[in-house]
Amino acid sequence: MSIALKQVFNKDRTFRPKRKFEPGTQRFELHKRAQASLNSGVDLRGAVQVPHGEDLNDWVAVHVVDFFNRINLIYGTVCEFCTEKSCPVMSGGPRYEYRWQDEHKYKRPTPLPAPVYMSLLMDWIEVQINNEDIFPTSVGIPFPKNFIQICKKILCRLFRVFVHVYIHHFDRMIQMGAEAHVNTCYKHFYYFCTELNLIDRKELEPLKEMTSRMCH
């Protein structure tokens, strides 16, 4: 990775502070293990499998938080080029348009400019991963019964960030020399979600051709 690129990724270009795992907790150890296997350049397909004896919810929690931080960072590097003028709808090419819906202001699916959608999305995820009732940080506090369903929805929406960045802003990524970094993050995300059945296949359609070349 070039020095300029390192500075971009190290600068806090994210919209919001990263959620950290407390040292000494089991989840911190899992986070370290997941990071170590990535850094050693191991086969990503193998790195996403739940380690023997580990709890599925813990493994998913660690990865959801990590993917949120990393995808947030990736979008942060192109956000100044993703404007209401350049991207008046949140889309992935002409065939795919994503509408925003939540429990608050947007009760019905609403078309929004991409940067507005992204900001709402990152806020929506951040509220959940910082909610102790959903992502408990203390050992011994159980995850909610619908935890995997919650994570599926988070991951489905995070995938849309990849769709938009790849289809509308990838030339910018190439200019910055960030292509390999983004591709690795995407492959890790794709293998994780498909290995553990956390994303609906139809959601993957917009990047199907690219994925078949990259993740064969």
Side-chain angles (χ1 to χ4, degrees), residues 8 11 13 15 72-87 114-115 118 164-165 169 172-173 175-176:
V8 168
K11 246 190 247 164
R13 293 291 290 277
F15 296 127
N72 200 357
L73 207 61
I74 287 168
Y75 182 67
T77 64
V78 299
C79 65
E80 62 195 278
F81 304 94
C82 182
T83 64
E84 295 191 21
K85 194 173 174 186
S86 71
C87 305
M118 294 289 191
H164 185 74
V165 167
H169 301 294
R172 179 69 198 154
M173 286 290 176
Q175 281 171 7
M176 294 169 65

PDB file of all heavy atoms in Angstrom, residues 8 11 13 15 72-87 114-115 118 164-165 169 172-173 175-176:
ATOM      1  N   VAL A   8      -4.450   8.068   3.835  1.00  0.00           N
ATOM      2  CA  VAL A   8      -5.891   8.209   3.621  1.00  0.00           C
ATOM      3  C   VAL A   8      -6.640   7.238   4.526  1.00  0.00           C
ATOM      4  O   VAL A   8      -7.595   7.586   5.190  1.00  0.00           O
ATOM      5  CB  VAL A   8      -6.247   7.925   2.141  1.00  0.00           C
ATOM      6  CG1 VAL A   8      -7.758   7.775   1.984  1.00  0.00           C
ATOM      7  CG2 VAL A   8      -5.762   9.062   1.266  1.00  0.00           C
ATOM      8  N   LYS A  11      -6.069   8.189   8.295  1.00  0.00           N
ATOM      9  CA  LYS A  11      -6.755   9.419   8.702  1.00  0.00           C
ATOM     10  C   LYS A  11      -8.165   9.026   9.091  1.00  0.00           C
ATOM     11  O   LYS A  11      -8.741   8.155   8.466  1.00  0.00           O
ATOM     12  CB  LYS A  11      -6.853  10.354   7.488  1.00  0.00           C
ATOM     13  CG  LYS A  11      -6.053  11.621   7.622  1.00  0.00           C
ATOM     14  CD  LYS A  11      -6.434  12.540   6.504  1.00  0.00           C
ATOM     15  CE  LYS A  11      -5.272  12.735   5.559  1.00  0.00           C
ATOM     16  NZ  LYS A  11      -5.648  13.296   4.296  1.00  0.00           N
ATOM     17  N   ARG A  13     -11.161   9.245   8.287  1.00  0.00           N
ATOM     18  CA  ARG A  13     -12.066   9.748   7.259  1.00  0.00           C
ATOM     19  C   ARG A  13     -13.470   9.179   7.437  1.00  0.00           C
ATOM     20  O   ARG A  13     -14.331   9.366   6.613  1.00  0.00           O
ATOM     21  CB  ARG A  13     -11.540   9.359   5.865  1.00  0.00           C
ATOM     22  CG  ARG A  13     -10.259  10.013   5.474  1.00  0.00           C
ATOM     23  CD  ARG A  13     -10.422  11.504   5.242  1.00  0.00           C
ATOM     24  NE  ARG A  13     -11.188  11.778   4.044  1.00  0.00           N
ATOM     25  CZ  ARG A  13     -10.692  11.803   2.823  1.00  0.00           C
ATOM     26  NH1 ARG A  13      -9.420  11.549   2.624  1.00  0.00           N
ATOM     27  NH2 ARG A  13     -11.464  12.081   1.791  1.00  0.00           N
ATOM     28  N   PHE A  15     -17.186   8.601   9.138  1.00  0.00           N
ATOM     29  CA  PHE A  15     -18.189   9.553   9.623  1.00  0.00           C
ATOM     30  C   PHE A  15     -18.238   9.561  11.137  1.00  0.00           C
ATOM     31  O   PHE A  15     -18.713  10.463  11.747  1.00  0.00           O
ATOM     32  CB  PHE A  15     -19.581   9.157   9.138  1.00  0.00           C
ATOM     33  CG  PHE A  15     -19.730   9.199   7.664  1.00  0.00           C
ATOM     34  CD1 PHE A  15     -20.206   8.091   6.973  1.00  0.00           C
ATOM     35  CD2 PHE A  15     -19.401  10.325   6.947  1.00  0.00           C
ATOM     36  CE1 PHE A  15     -20.357   8.133   5.603  1.00  0.00           C
ATOM     37  CE2 PHE A  15     -19.554  10.366   5.579  1.00  0.00           C
ATOM     38  CZ  PHE A  15     -20.030   9.273   4.908  1.00  0.00           C
ATOM     39  N   ASN A  72     -17.047   1.678   6.240  1.00  0.00           N
ATOM     40  CA  ASN A  72     -17.193   3.096   6.570  1.00  0.00           C
ATOM     41  C   ASN A  72     -15.964   3.875   6.085  1.00  0.00           C
ATOM     42  O   ASN A  72     -16.058   4.956   5.486  1.00  0.00           O
ATOM     43  CB  ASN A  72     -17.305   3.179   8.097  1.00  0.00           C
ATOM     44  CG  ASN A  72     -17.921   4.463   8.562  1.00  0.00           C
ATOM     45  OD1 ASN A  72     -18.235   5.330   7.777  1.00  0.00           O
ATOM     46  ND2 ASN A  72     -18.073   4.569   9.863  1.00  0.00           N
ATOM     47  N   LEU A  73     -14.796   3.283   6.322  1.00  0.00           N
ATOM     48  CA  LEU A  73     -13.532   3.888   5.910  1.00  0.00           C
ATOM     49  C   LEU A  73     -13.431   3.968   4.390  1.00  0.00           C
ATOM     50  O   LEU A  73     -13.010   4.980   3.831  1.00  0.00           O
ATOM     51  CB  LEU A  73     -12.387   3.027   6.463  1.00  0.00           C
ATOM     52  CG  LEU A  73     -11.058   3.682   6.746  1.00  0.00           C
ATOM     53  CD1 LEU A  73     -11.208   4.769   7.787  1.00  0.00           C
ATOM     54  CD2 LEU A  73     -10.048   2.649   7.223  1.00  0.00           C
ATOM     55  N   ILE A  74     -13.835   2.881   3.725  1.00  0.00           N
ATOM     56  CA  ILE A  74     -13.793   2.852   2.251  1.00  0.00           C
ATOM     57  C   ILE A  74     -14.695   3.952   1.687  1.00  0.00           C
ATOM     58  O   ILE A  74     -14.292   4.712   0.813  1.00  0.00           O
ATOM     59  CB  ILE A  74     -14.211   1.458   1.719  1.00  0.00           C
ATOM     60  CG1 ILE A  74     -13.093   0.440   1.981  1.00  0.00           C
ATOM     61  CG2 ILE A  74     -14.550   1.514   0.224  1.00  0.00           C
ATOM     62  CD1 ILE A  74     -13.495  -1.017   1.764  1.00  0.00           C
ATOM     63  N   TYR A  75     -15.907   4.043   2.217  1.00  0.00           N
ATOM     64  CA  TYR A  75     -16.799   5.096   1.712  1.00  0.00           C
ATOM     65  C   TYR A  75     -16.242   6.481   2.056  1.00  0.00           C
ATOM     66  O   TYR A  75     -16.356   7.421   1.264  1.00  0.00           O
ATOM     67  CB  TYR A  75     -18.229   4.944   2.253  1.00  0.00           C
ATOM     68  CG  TYR A  75     -19.141   6.006   1.674  1.00  0.00           C
ATOM     69  CD1 TYR A  75     -19.445   6.003   0.313  1.00  0.00           C
ATOM     70  CD2 TYR A  75     -19.645   7.043   2.454  1.00  0.00           C
ATOM     71  CE1 TYR A  75     -20.233   7.000  -0.247  1.00  0.00           C
ATOM     72  CE2 TYR A  75     -20.440   8.037   1.903  1.00  0.00           C
ATOM     73  CZ  TYR A  75     -20.733   8.010   0.547  1.00  0.00           C
ATOM     74  OH  TYR A  75     -21.495   9.000  -0.011  1.00  0.00           O
ATOM     75  N   GLY A  76     -15.609   6.592   3.215  1.00  0.00           N
ATOM     76  CA  GLY A  76     -15.006   7.872   3.607  1.00  0.00           C
ATOM     77  C   GLY A  76     -13.983   8.388   2.616  1.00  0.00           C
ATOM     78  O   GLY A  76     -13.790   9.592   2.465  1.00  0.00           O
ATOM     79  N   THR A  77     -13.340   7.463   1.877  1.00  0.00           N
ATOM     80  CA  THR A  77     -12.323   7.895   0.909  1.00  0.00           C
ATOM     81  C   THR A  77     -12.931   8.434  -0.378  1.00  0.00           C
ATOM     82  O   THR A  77     -12.255   9.120  -1.130  1.00  0.00           O
ATOM     83  CB  THR A  77     -11.348   6.737   0.554  1.00  0.00           C
ATOM     84  OG1 THR A  77     -12.087   5.705  -0.085  1.00  0.00           O
ATOM     85  CG2 THR A  77     -10.648   6.203   1.764  1.00  0.00           C
ATOM     86  N   VAL A  78     -14.196   8.128  -0.638  1.00  0.00           N
ATOM     87  CA  VAL A  78     -14.815   8.651  -1.872  1.00  0.00           C
ATOM     88  C   VAL A  78     -15.950   9.630  -1.582  1.00  0.00           C
ATOM     89  O   VAL A  78     -16.529  10.197  -2.508  1.00  0.00           O
ATOM     90  CB  VAL A  78     -15.364   7.516  -2.780  1.00  0.00           C
ATOM     91  CG1 VAL A  78     -14.262   6.593  -3.224  1.00  0.00           C
ATOM     92  CG2 VAL A  78     -16.505   6.753  -2.120  1.00  0.00           C
ATOM     93  N   CYS A  79     -16.272   9.838  -0.293  1.00  0.00           N
ATOM     94  CA  CYS A  79     -17.494  10.596   0.014  1.00  0.00           C
ATOM     95  C   CYS A  79     -17.480  12.017  -0.537  1.00  0.00           C
ATOM     96  O   CYS A  79     -18.533  12.557  -0.866  1.00  0.00           O
ATOM     97  CB  CYS A  79     -17.808  10.571   1.504  1.00  0.00           C
ATOM     98  SG  CYS A  79     -16.601  11.384   2.529  1.00  0.00           S
ATOM     99  N   GLU A  80     -16.277  12.616  -0.696  1.00  0.00           N
ATOM    100  CA  GLU A  80     -16.286  13.984  -1.230  1.00  0.00           C
ATOM    101  C   GLU A  80     -16.664  14.002  -2.712  1.00  0.00           C
ATOM    102  O   GLU A  80     -17.033  15.046  -3.259  1.00  0.00           O
ATOM    103  CB  GLU A  80     -14.931  14.664  -0.997  1.00  0.00           C
ATOM    104  CG  GLU A  80     -13.770  14.006  -1.683  1.00  0.00           C
ATOM    105  CD  GLU A  80     -12.425  14.488  -1.120  1.00  0.00           C
ATOM    106  OE1 GLU A  80     -11.986  15.561  -1.543  1.00  0.00           O
ATOM    107  OE2 GLU A  80     -11.840  13.766  -0.295  1.00  0.00           O
ATOM    108  N   PHE A  81     -16.596  12.833  -3.375  1.00  0.00           N
ATOM    109  CA  PHE A  81     -16.971  12.747  -4.792  1.00  0.00           C
ATOM    110  C   PHE A  81     -18.384  12.196  -4.965  1.00  0.00           C
ATOM    111  O   PHE A  81     -18.895  12.124  -6.067  1.00  0.00           O
ATOM    112  CB  PHE A  81     -15.982  11.851  -5.549  1.00  0.00           C
ATOM    113  CG  PHE A  81     -14.568  12.320  -5.397  1.00  0.00           C
ATOM    114  CD1 PHE A  81     -13.748  11.793  -4.402  1.00  0.00           C
ATOM    115  CD2 PHE A  81     -14.070  13.335  -6.211  1.00  0.00           C
ATOM    116  CE1 PHE A  81     -12.454  12.252  -4.231  1.00  0.00           C
ATOM    117  CE2 PHE A  81     -12.777  13.800  -6.040  1.00  0.00           C
ATOM    118  CZ  PHE A  81     -11.965  13.262  -5.051  1.00  0.00           C
ATOM    119  N   CYS A  82     -18.961  11.763  -3.864  1.00  0.00           N
ATOM    120  CA  CYS A  82     -20.323  11.220  -3.895  1.00  0.00           C
ATOM    121  C   CYS A  82     -21.239  12.295  -3.343  1.00  0.00           C
ATOM    122  O   CYS A  82     -21.398  12.434  -2.132  1.00  0.00           O
ATOM    123  CB  CYS A  82     -20.377   9.946  -3.043  1.00  0.00           C
ATOM    124  SG  CYS A  82     -21.992   9.147  -3.030  1.00  0.00           S
ATOM    125  N   THR A  83     -21.797  13.084  -4.234  1.00  0.00           N
ATOM    126  CA  THR A  83     -22.594  14.236  -3.811  1.00  0.00           C
ATOM    127  C   THR A  83     -24.046  14.068  -4.270  1.00  0.00           C
ATOM    128  O   THR A  83     -24.347  13.177  -5.069  1.00  0.00           O
ATOM    129  CB  THR A  83     -22.041  15.534  -4.429  1.00  0.00           C
ATOM    130  OG1 THR A  83     -22.195  15.447  -5.860  1.00  0.00           O
ATOM    131  CG2 THR A  83     -20.564  15.732  -4.086  1.00  0.00           C
ATOM    132  N   GLU A  84     -24.896  14.941  -3.786  1.00  0.00           N
ATOM    133  CA  GLU A  84     -26.304  14.874  -4.204  1.00  0.00           C
ATOM    134  C   GLU A  84     -26.431  15.176  -5.693  1.00  0.00           C
ATOM    135  O   GLU A  84     -27.367  14.729  -6.350  1.00  0.00           O
ATOM    136  CB  GLU A  84     -27.153  15.830  -3.368  1.00  0.00           C
ATOM    137  CG  GLU A  84     -27.179  15.409  -1.901  1.00  0.00           C
ATOM    138  CD  GLU A  84     -28.203  16.152  -1.062  1.00  0.00           C
ATOM    139  OE1 GLU A  84     -29.157  16.709  -1.647  1.00  0.00           O
ATOM    140  OE2 GLU A  84     -28.050  16.150   0.169  1.00  0.00           O
ATOM    141  N   LYS A  85     -25.443  15.893  -6.228  1.00  0.00           N
ATOM    142  CA  LYS A  85     -25.464  16.210  -7.666  1.00  0.00           C
ATOM    143  C   LYS A  85     -24.950  15.026  -8.485  1.00  0.00           C
ATOM    144  O   LYS A  85     -25.551  14.637  -9.483  1.00  0.00           O
ATOM    145  CB  LYS A  85     -24.602  17.452  -7.917  1.00  0.00           C
ATOM    146  CG  LYS A  85     -24.826  18.066  -9.276  1.00  0.00           C
ATOM    147  CD  LYS A  85     -24.088  19.385  -9.409  1.00  0.00           C
ATOM    148  CE  LYS A  85     -24.211  19.916 -10.838  1.00  0.00           C
ATOM    149  NZ  LYS A  85     -23.400  21.110 -11.056  1.00  0.00           N
ATOM    150  N   SER A  86     -23.823  14.443  -8.051  1.00  0.00           N
ATOM    151  CA  SER A  86     -23.244  13.327  -8.824  1.00  0.00           C
ATOM    152  C   SER A  86     -24.059  12.052  -8.668  1.00  0.00           C
ATOM    153  O   SER A  86     -24.123  11.229  -9.571  1.00  0.00           O
ATOM    154  CB  SER A  86     -21.793  13.069  -8.394  1.00  0.00           C
ATOM    155  OG  SER A  86     -21.750  12.496  -7.090  1.00  0.00           O
ATOM    156  N   CYS A  87     -24.663  11.862  -7.494  1.00  0.00           N
ATOM    157  CA  CYS A  87     -25.389  10.625  -7.194  1.00  0.00           C
ATOM    158  C   CYS A  87     -26.757  10.964  -6.601  1.00  0.00           C
ATOM    159  O   CYS A  87     -26.981  10.799  -5.392  1.00  0.00           O
ATOM    160  CB  CYS A  87     -24.589   9.768  -6.214  1.00  0.00           C
ATOM    161  SG  CYS A  87     -22.908   9.403  -6.770  1.00  0.00           S
ATOM    162  N   ALA A 114     -27.484   9.368  -2.812  1.00  0.00           N
ATOM    163  CA  ALA A 114     -26.567   8.399  -2.198  1.00  0.00           C
ATOM    164  C   ALA A 114     -25.915   8.898  -0.905  1.00  0.00           C
ATOM    165  O   ALA A 114     -25.888   8.164   0.088  1.00  0.00           O
ATOM    166  CB  ALA A 114     -25.502   7.983  -3.209  1.00  0.00           C
ATOM    167  N   PRO A 115     -25.388  10.147  -0.846  1.00  0.00           N
ATOM    168  CA  PRO A 115     -24.736  10.548   0.406  1.00  0.00           C
ATOM    169  C   PRO A 115     -25.691  10.623   1.594  1.00  0.00           C
ATOM    170  O   PRO A 115     -25.297  10.348   2.730  1.00  0.00           O
ATOM    171  CB  PRO A 115     -24.129  11.927   0.093  1.00  0.00           C
ATOM    172  CG  PRO A 115     -24.803  12.398  -1.149  1.00  0.00           C
ATOM    173  CD  PRO A 115     -25.242  11.179  -1.895  1.00  0.00           C
ATOM    174  N   MET A 118     -26.266   7.000   2.631  1.00  0.00           N
ATOM    175  CA  MET A 118     -25.070   6.483   3.324  1.00  0.00           C
ATOM    176  C   MET A 118     -25.000   6.995   4.760  1.00  0.00           C
ATOM    177  O   MET A 118     -24.680   6.240   5.683  1.00  0.00           O
ATOM    178  CB  MET A 118     -23.798   6.916   2.588  1.00  0.00           C
ATOM    179  CG  MET A 118     -23.641   6.322   1.219  1.00  0.00           C
ATOM    180  SD  MET A 118     -23.267   4.549   1.260  1.00  0.00           S
ATOM    181  CE  MET A 118     -22.847   4.310  -0.462  1.00  0.00           C
ATOM    182  N   HIS A 164     -22.488   0.472  -4.663  1.00  0.00           N
ATOM    183  CA  HIS A 164     -22.428   1.867  -5.117  1.00  0.00           C
ATOM    184  C   HIS A 164     -20.984   2.296  -5.396  1.00  0.00           C
ATOM    185  O   HIS A 164     -20.705   2.918  -6.428  1.00  0.00           O
ATOM    186  CB  HIS A 164     -23.066   2.789  -4.075  1.00  0.00           C
ATOM    187  CG  HIS A 164     -23.130   4.212  -4.535  1.00  0.00           C
ATOM    188  ND1 HIS A 164     -24.026   4.650  -5.494  1.00  0.00           N
ATOM    189  CD2 HIS A 164     -22.390   5.303  -4.191  1.00  0.00           C
ATOM    190  CE1 HIS A 164     -23.830   5.944  -5.716  1.00  0.00           C
ATOM    191  NE2 HIS A 164     -22.845   6.365  -4.942  1.00  0.00           N
ATOM    192  N   VAL A 165     -20.068   1.935  -4.503  1.00  0.00           N
ATOM    193  CA  VAL A 165     -18.666   2.339  -4.680  1.00  0.00           C
ATOM    194  C   VAL A 165     -18.067   1.685  -5.925  1.00  0.00           C
ATOM    195  O   VAL A 165     -17.410   2.352  -6.737  1.00  0.00           O
ATOM    196  CB  VAL A 165     -17.840   2.001  -3.414  1.00  0.00           C
ATOM    197  CG1 VAL A 165     -16.343   2.109  -3.700  1.00  0.00           C
ATOM    198  CG2 VAL A 165     -18.217   2.942  -2.278  1.00  0.00           C
ATOM    199  N   HIS A 169     -17.960   4.746  -8.271  1.00  0.00           N
ATOM    200  CA  HIS A 169     -16.771   5.491  -7.807  1.00  0.00           C
ATOM    201  C   HIS A 169     -15.464   4.700  -7.931  1.00  0.00           C
ATOM    202  O   HIS A 169     -14.466   5.079  -7.329  1.00  0.00           O
ATOM    203  CB  HIS A 169     -16.967   5.939  -6.353  1.00  0.00           C
ATOM    204  CG  HIS A 169     -18.159   6.820  -6.151  1.00  0.00           C
ATOM    205  ND1 HIS A 169     -18.255   8.085  -6.685  1.00  0.00           N
ATOM    206  CD2 HIS A 169     -19.338   6.598  -5.498  1.00  0.00           C
ATOM    207  CE1 HIS A 169     -19.430   8.611  -6.353  1.00  0.00           C
ATOM    208  NE2 HIS A 169     -20.105   7.726  -5.643  1.00  0.00           N
ATOM    209  N   ARG A 172     -12.238   6.384  -9.005  1.00  0.00           N
ATOM    210  CA  ARG A 172     -11.594   7.160  -7.940  1.00  0.00           C
ATOM    211  C   ARG A 172     -10.713   6.254  -7.079  1.00  0.00           C
ATOM    212  O   ARG A 172      -9.600   6.614  -6.697  1.00  0.00           O
ATOM    213  CB  ARG A 172     -12.693   7.827  -7.088  1.00  0.00           C
ATOM    214  CG  ARG A 172     -12.194   8.642  -5.934  1.00  0.00           C
ATOM    215  CD  ARG A 172     -11.469   9.903  -6.376  1.00  0.00           C
ATOM    216  NE  ARG A 172     -10.660  10.429  -5.308  1.00  0.00           N
ATOM    217  CZ  ARG A 172      -9.578  11.172  -5.485  1.00  0.00           C
ATOM    218  NH1 ARG A 172      -9.184  11.482  -6.698  1.00  0.00           N
ATOM    219  NH2 ARG A 172      -8.896  11.629  -4.463  1.00  0.00           N
ATOM    220  N   MET A 173     -11.218   5.062  -6.774  1.00  0.00           N
ATOM    221  CA  MET A 173     -10.438   4.094  -5.993  1.00  0.00           C
ATOM    222  C   MET A 173      -9.139   3.736  -6.717  1.00  0.00           C
ATOM    223  O   MET A 173      -8.079   3.637  -6.111  1.00  0.00           O
ATOM    224  CB  MET A 173     -11.250   2.808  -5.775  1.00  0.00           C
ATOM    225  CG  MET A 173     -12.343   2.959  -4.765  1.00  0.00           C
ATOM    226  SD  MET A 173     -11.638   3.124  -3.106  1.00  0.00           S
ATOM    227  CE  MET A 173     -13.091   3.415  -2.157  1.00  0.00           C
ATOM    228  N   GLN A 175      -7.538   5.575  -8.980  1.00  0.00           N
ATOM    229  CA  GLN A 175      -6.661   6.759  -8.936  1.00  0.00           C
ATOM    230  C   GLN A 175      -5.894   6.834  -7.621  1.00  0.00           C
ATOM    231  O   GLN A 175      -4.746   7.252  -7.576  1.00  0.00           O
ATOM    232  CB  GLN A 175      -7.492   8.045  -9.075  1.00  0.00           C
ATOM    233  CG  GLN A 175      -7.913   8.370 -10.486  1.00  0.00           C
ATOM    234  CD  GLN A 175      -8.926   9.527 -10.501  1.00  0.00           C
ATOM    235  OE1 GLN A 175      -9.197  10.139  -9.471  1.00  0.00           O
ATOM    236  NE2 GLN A 175      -9.482   9.807 -11.657  1.00  0.00           N
ATOM    237  N   MET A 176      -6.543   6.443  -6.542  1.00  0.00           N
ATOM    238  CA  MET A 176      -5.919   6.527  -5.220  1.00  0.00           C
ATOM    239  C   MET A 176      -5.058   5.309  -4.897  1.00  0.00           C
ATOM    240  O   MET A 176      -4.433   5.247  -3.854  1.00  0.00           O
ATOM    241  CB  MET A 176      -7.000   6.652  -4.141  1.00  0.00           C
ATOM    242  CG  MET A 176      -7.772   7.932  -4.231  1.00  0.00           C
ATOM    243  SD  MET A 176      -9.204   7.847  -3.168  1.00  0.00           S
ATOM    244  CE  MET A 176      -8.416   7.735  -1.589  1.00  0.00           C
TER     245      MET A 176
END
